[in-house]
């Protein structure tokens, strides 16, 4: 499928492929599409032009641009790194498939805006719309500063499109405890100096995101279910230099 993030007059589009198998096997790969205009270092973080996030049943891994490789013990932290690194990441379907907590995927978002937690009920139905050849129900739920919309196929009950629309949110400071937990999850040193440096960088990135109007649209294509997959289908090769 494809993801499209629109923020501050710029757009970042990625093509992606996904493989899922319960209870916790997954491989998500993405690559930037031509024509994208990712934020510059002065205007925001530099996003990886390709990457992968995966687990073959034990630990969770992220590879960004074939040069940054991470290993995590939990899926939410790994996905948070993938979301922050890609800028335009397919988050809806993996969250719904595995039941993960979506709002923890943006590092510090919950600490900065703890009420931004859309429920899985109280949706409002809009006019039906097609996604490709699939006729879909359109359901949305608003939260303070956020709106989540899902396009659900009438025949297969699968999510064919999702959109997260975010307006400007109040900026709140990160605390040392949250930063220390994120450094620990990334297997990085946790010292007063490392916390201070990471806190400054994370606060700048989070402030830009919270102050901006953001649309993140995910469109899922060529969906296949109940296929036969092996453990090797979920393992992404890592360059020898890493």
């Amino acid at each position: 499928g494809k993801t499209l993030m629109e923020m501050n007059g710029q757009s970042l589009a990625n093509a992606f492929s996904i493989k899922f198998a319960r209870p916790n096997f997954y491989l998500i790969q993405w690559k930037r599409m031509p024509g994208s205009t990712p934020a510059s270092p002065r205007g925001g973080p530099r996003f990886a032009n390709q990457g992968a996030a995966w687990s073959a049943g034990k630990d969770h891994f992220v590879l960004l641009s074939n040069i940054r490789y991470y290993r995590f013990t939990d899926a939410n932290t790994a996905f948070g790194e993938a979301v922050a690194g890609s800028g335009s990441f397919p988050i809806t379907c993996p969250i719904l498939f595995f039941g993960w907590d979506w709002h923890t995927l943006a590092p510090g978002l919950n600490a900065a805006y703890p009420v931004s937690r859309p429920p899985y009920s109280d949706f409002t139905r809009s006019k039906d719309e097609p996604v490709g050849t699939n006729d879909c129900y359109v359901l949305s739920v608003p939260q303070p500063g956020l709106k989540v919309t899902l396009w659900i196929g009438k025949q297969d009950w699968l999510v064919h499109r999702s959109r997260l629309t975010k307006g400007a949110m109040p900026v709140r400071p990160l605390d040392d405890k949250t930063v220390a937990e994120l450094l620990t999850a990334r297997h990085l040193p946790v010292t007063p100096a490392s916390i201070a440096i990471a806190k400054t960088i994370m606060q700048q990135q989070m402030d830009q995101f919270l102050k901006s109007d953001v649309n993140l649209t995910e469109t899922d294509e060529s969906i296949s279910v109940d296929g036969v997959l092996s453990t090797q289908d979920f393992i992404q090769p890592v360059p020898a230099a890493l």
Side-chain angles (χ1 to χ4, degrees):
K2 297 179 179 65
T3 56
L4 174 65
M5 182 183 72
E6 299 166 291
M7 183 174 74
N8 297 335
Q10 296 182 315
S11 62
L12 175 59
N14 286 327
F16 67 83
S17 64
I18 296 178
K19 295 175 183 175
F20 291 151
R22 290 188 175 96
N24 57 357
F25 284 58
Y26 64 89
L27 169 61
I28 301 177
Q29 298 169 286
W30 75 92
K31 187 173 184 179
R32 186 178 303 164
M33 297 181 64
S36 293
T37 55
S40 67
R42 292 184 179 181
R46 182 185 294 277
F47 297 117
N49 61 0
Q50 63 179 352
W54 72 95
S55 176
K58 181 180 179 181
D59 290 333
H60 304 265
F61 304 90
V62 176
L63 180 64
L64 301 176
S65 298
N66 282 340
I67 57 175
R68 287 182 284 164
Y69 174 59
Y70 304 91
R71 177 177 62 85
F72 302 95
T73 56
D74 68 280
N76 269 330
T77 307
F79 264 64
E81 190 67 47
V83 169
S86 70
S88 178
F89 193 77
I91 63 174
T92 301
C93 286
I95 291 168
L96 294 177
F97 189 86
F98 293 108
W100 292 332
D101 192 353
W102 82 270
H103 78 288
T104 65
L105 302 186
L109 178 58
N110 185 47
Y113 209 67
V115 299
S116 59
R117 187 193 291 256
Y120 293 108
S121 60
D122 300 327
F123 281 84
T124 299
R125 183 179 174 184
S126 302
K127 182 179 179 181
D128 298 349
E129 290 181 2
V131 177
T133 59
N134 301 282
D135 196 14
C136 295
Y137 299 110
V138 182
L139 304 175
S140 62
V141 56
Q143 290 283 288
L146 287 170
K147 181 180 180 181
V148 177
T149 306
L150 303 176
W151 284 256
I152 300 174
K154 293 182 179 180
Q155 300 299 320
D156 56 20
W157 302 103
L158 298 174
V159 176
H160 290 270
R161 178 173 290 159
S162 65
R163 180 171 295 141
L164 173 65
T165 303
K166 188 197 76 64
M169 291 179 169
V171 174
R172 302 185 184 185
L174 284 170
D175 57 59
D176 290 354
K177 181 176 181 293
T178 299
V179 177
E181 290 174 349
L182 289 168
L183 289 175
T184 300
R186 298 180 186 184
H187 304 284
L188 296 174
V190 181
T191 65
S194 66
I195 290 174
I197 294 172
K199 187 176 180 179
T200 298
I201 296 172
M202 290 173 56
Q203 189 75 55
Q204 291 174 346
Q205 294 179 348
M206 189 178 69
D207 289 357
Q208 184 202 22
F209 175 78
L210 291 176
K211 292 178 181 178
S212 302
D213 292 331
V214 179
N215 281 310
L216 176 62
T217 303
E218 172 187 336
T219 302
D220 295 84
E221 305 165 346
S222 303
I223 303 172
S224 175
V225 297
D226 296 331
V228 177
L229 298 168
S230 69
T231 301
Q232 292 302 315
D233 290 320
F234 298 94
I235 299 177
Q236 172 72 9
V238 178
L242 300 178

